Each structure stands twice: as structure tokens, then as C-alpha cells.
Amino acid sequence: MLPDKTFEGRTGIITGGATGIGFAIAREVARLGGRVVIASRKEEKLVPAVEQIRSETGRADAAHFHVLDVRDANAVEEMAAKIDTDFGGIDFLVNNAAGNFIVAAEELSVNGWNSVIGIVLNGTFYCSSAIGKRMIAKKNGGVMLNVIANYAWTGGPGVVHSASAKAGVLALTRTLATEWARYKIRCNAIAPGPVDTPGAAERLFPDPMIMEGIRKTIPARRFANLEEIAHAATYLLSDYSSYVTGENFVIDGGQWLSGSDYFTRLKQMMPKQ
Ligand code: NAP
């Protein structure tokens, strides 16, 4: 666990930060003294999330929100300009927003494909570009963290849209790491395996039988908890990882290494199987 004031004086944006993994990262950064701006589409989720972080930290300035659809490049640019001006700079960005659902590749519509690619791959680029340019101009460096998934480099049945988008984000992470190291901007990824968030449960493992099947594909025989993801994320956002860039930190209890079993389970989740 990191020391209490690890993020004191730092401000960052977390997309999709009102729920699940994004919220867990936001809470932990705020607990460690940072200021977070959580950004997603639904104000009704953002407001209580900000209130909870302010109440837990006792700091009114610990959390703010910005209503944003990351697929809208102009809106992303406006958000980056506003937060940069309002808070005197942006120190870190977490690209966490995503959409996903299980579907056989031959049944995936163009709209479904474009929606997931639009949120995950395009949204990550729009945010990284808008905020990266400002970090470069300020000459104070910065940190970017992209939340991918442990099928980004293996692929997997039922997630052709998400796996393709996350693979693109992994390539983006490594590319920006090499291009922007000269500006003291670090870019890393975390790749969780299954985490029991309400969003993932609804879309990816809606049934206890499926959850149990997935659990058996994980050598650790359990899903990750949110604190485990948040601890890895805050390490990579902090100065304790100051020489780490272009890295993909896998947090999956060994799941991807047990590959063929995982794919068997994923196949069972697909509608046609
Ligand atoms: P989640 O709670 O459903 O989080 C997704 C977030 O993305 C929501 O807060 C949502 O907020 C936001 N979002 C969706 N579309 C958006 C858009 N167009 N613009 C802005 N924000 C948008 O699910 P989660 O499980 O915590 O997932 C978080 C991240 O972890 C994702 O990148 C996911 O791929 C990754 N991950 C999750 C698991 C898992 O098992 N849970 C495993 C591997 C990787 P709004 O509805 O307010 O827009």
C-alpha cells in the first residue's frame, strides 16, 4: 500500500470513474491525497460517486465530475481544456471507459462493432491526445494508464469487438510510451481478468453457472477484487513506478496462462453454443 500523501497536489481524469474499476481507482487516488475528475455519460452515476469520495476523504476538492461521451472528440477536447484551466494542469489520465457484450462474431452488427471500437479505441486516443498535448505544452510530464483486459493479446470467442479494441489500446500504450518518454510522460496498461463489477456481471457473466465456469478457469480460483485492481493502478500512476513505461501489468490470478480452458468457458457463454 502506498503512503497517504502519494498523490497530494496531483489532479487527474478517470474516464468511466463513477462505477466499478474506475470508481475503485478514483477512490484510492483520492484516499492517497489526489484530486480526481471522473468523466462519463451519466450524471446520475457521477454525482453520488463524487459525493462518496468527498465524504470519505473529508475533502470537498477531492473529486469533481464532467459529463462526457468519450466517442465525441470535440467534447473530449473541451473537457481537457476546461480541466487544464480550472485546475492549473492535468497530471494523470486513466482511460477506463468501455463498452462490451458477449456476441458471436458473425452476429455482431456494424453498429455494435463501431460502438465498442468508438468507446474503447477511439475514446482512448481522443483522451490521450487531448491531454497528452497539454502535458507536453506544460513540460511537467504526466502519467497515462489504460485499462485493457487479459484477452487483448490472445483474443477470445465472444469478444471480437472488445479484444480488437483492447489490442489497439495496448499498441497505443506502447507507442505513446516510446514517443512521449522524452516529455517525461509515462504510459502503461493494466490487464485485469474477471472482476465482479455490476457492469461486467450484467453484460459478461449474468448467470451463477457462467461465473462458476469462469472461476474454474482461473488458477487462483477466484475473481479479482476491486482493491487489488486499484492498488496496481495507483502504483503505476505514482512516482513509485517512475521508470516503468510501455508496460502491461496483468492482474488475472494466472488466468490467461491457462489459455485453452478459458476459451472453452468463453465459448460456453456465446449465444449459439
Ligand atoms: P463498468 O462499471 O460498466 O464501467 C464502464 C464505465 O464506462 C462506466 O462507468 C460507464 O459510465 C463508462 N462509459 C461507457 N461508455 C462510455 C462513453 N461512451 N463515454 C464515457 N464513459 C463511458 O465496468 P467495469 O467492469 O468497471 O469496467 C471498467 C474497465 O475495466 C473497462 O475498461 C473494462 O473493459 C475493464 N475490464 C473489466 C473487467 C471485469 O471483469 N470487470 C475485466 C477486464 C477489463 P456511463 O454509463 O456513465 O457512461
Side-chain angles (χ1 to χ4, degrees):
M1 199 173 285
L2 300 173
D4 278 351
K5 294 183 179 174
T6 295
F7 293 104
E8 195 172 60
R10 307 261 169 107
T11 300
I13 299 170
I14 302 177
T15 68
T19 64
I21 289 172
F23 183 57
I25 296 171
R27 280 178 81 193
E28 186 62 3
V29 170
R31 192 186 70 76
L32 295 168
R35 174 164 57 193
V36 293
V37 181
I38 57 176
S40 68
R41 295 164 303 173
K42 296 180 185 149
E43 193 165 343
E44 66 271 23
K45 293 183 192 170
L46 292 162
V47 169
V50 162
E51 281 170 1
Q52 185 177 335
I53 292 173
R54 288 179 177 178
S55 148
E56 284 175 356
T57 57
R59 288 186 293 124
D61 196 34
H64 301 264
F65 74 85
H66 191 99
V67 176
L68 175 76
D69 187 331
V70 294
R71 291 172 294 189
D72 181 342
N74 291 330
V76 169
E77 183 62 28
E78 283 168 21
M79 175 192 69
K82 180 170 184 350
I83 294 171
D84 196 28
T85 305
D86 287 357
F87 298 121
I90 302 167
D91 300 297
F92 63 88
L93 165 68
V94 180
N95 284 302
N96 164 80
N100 196 6
F101 52 95
I102 300 293
V103 62
E106 68 274 21
E107 291 183 356
L108 176 61
S109 67
V110 169
N111 276 349
W113 170 266
N114 285 337
S115 177
V116 173
I117 297 291
I119 301 168
V120 175
L121 183 55
N122 295 345
T124 297
F125 173 70
Y126 298 156
C127 291
S128 303
S129 168
I131 291 156
K133 280 188 279 197
R134 288 174 169 80
M135 287 175 173
I136 291 168
K138 280 240 159 46
K139 299 186 176 169
N140 285 334
V143 190
M144 298 198 175
L145 182 68
N146 300 324
V147 182
I148 58 168
N150 69 346
Y151 48 67
W153 53 97
T154 61
V159 288
V160 66
H161 44 9
S162 177
S164 303
K166 298 288 194 186
V169 173
L170 180 55
L172 176 149
T173 305
R174 290 171 170 157
T175 303
L176 295 186
T178 58
E179 288 197 20
W180 290 352
R182 76 189 70 171
Y183 303 116
K184 298 188 171 56
I185 298 172
R186 298 186 297 110
C187 304
N188 291 297
I190 55 171
V195 189
D196 188 11
T197 64
E202 183 190 323
R203 293 184 305 269
L204 305 177
F205 25 87
D207 160 324
M209 293 281 286
I210 293 174
M211 279 194 84
E212 181 55 15
I214 294 172
R215 192 184 68 80
K216 288 182 178 152
T217 70
I218 305 168
R221 289 293 184 265
R222 65 175 179 85
F223 286 32
N225 63 51
L226 287 170
E227 290 73 23
E228 288 167 323
I229 308 297
H231 287 154
T234 47
Y235 165 69
L236 288 168
L237 288 171
S238 78
D239 288 347
Y240 290 91
S241 60
S242 53
Y243 202 57
V244 181
T245 196
E247 184 54 72
N248 173 33
F249 193 112
V250 184
I251 318 160
D252 75 344
Q255 189 192 34
W256 87 270
L257 293 167
S258 64
S260 60
D261 193 23
Y262 177 43
F263 290 152
T264 308
R265 299 293 175 182
L266 268 176
K267 274 183 189 145
Q268 288 169 358
M269 294 161 60
M270 292 178 65
K272 274 193 159 177
Q273 303 298 309

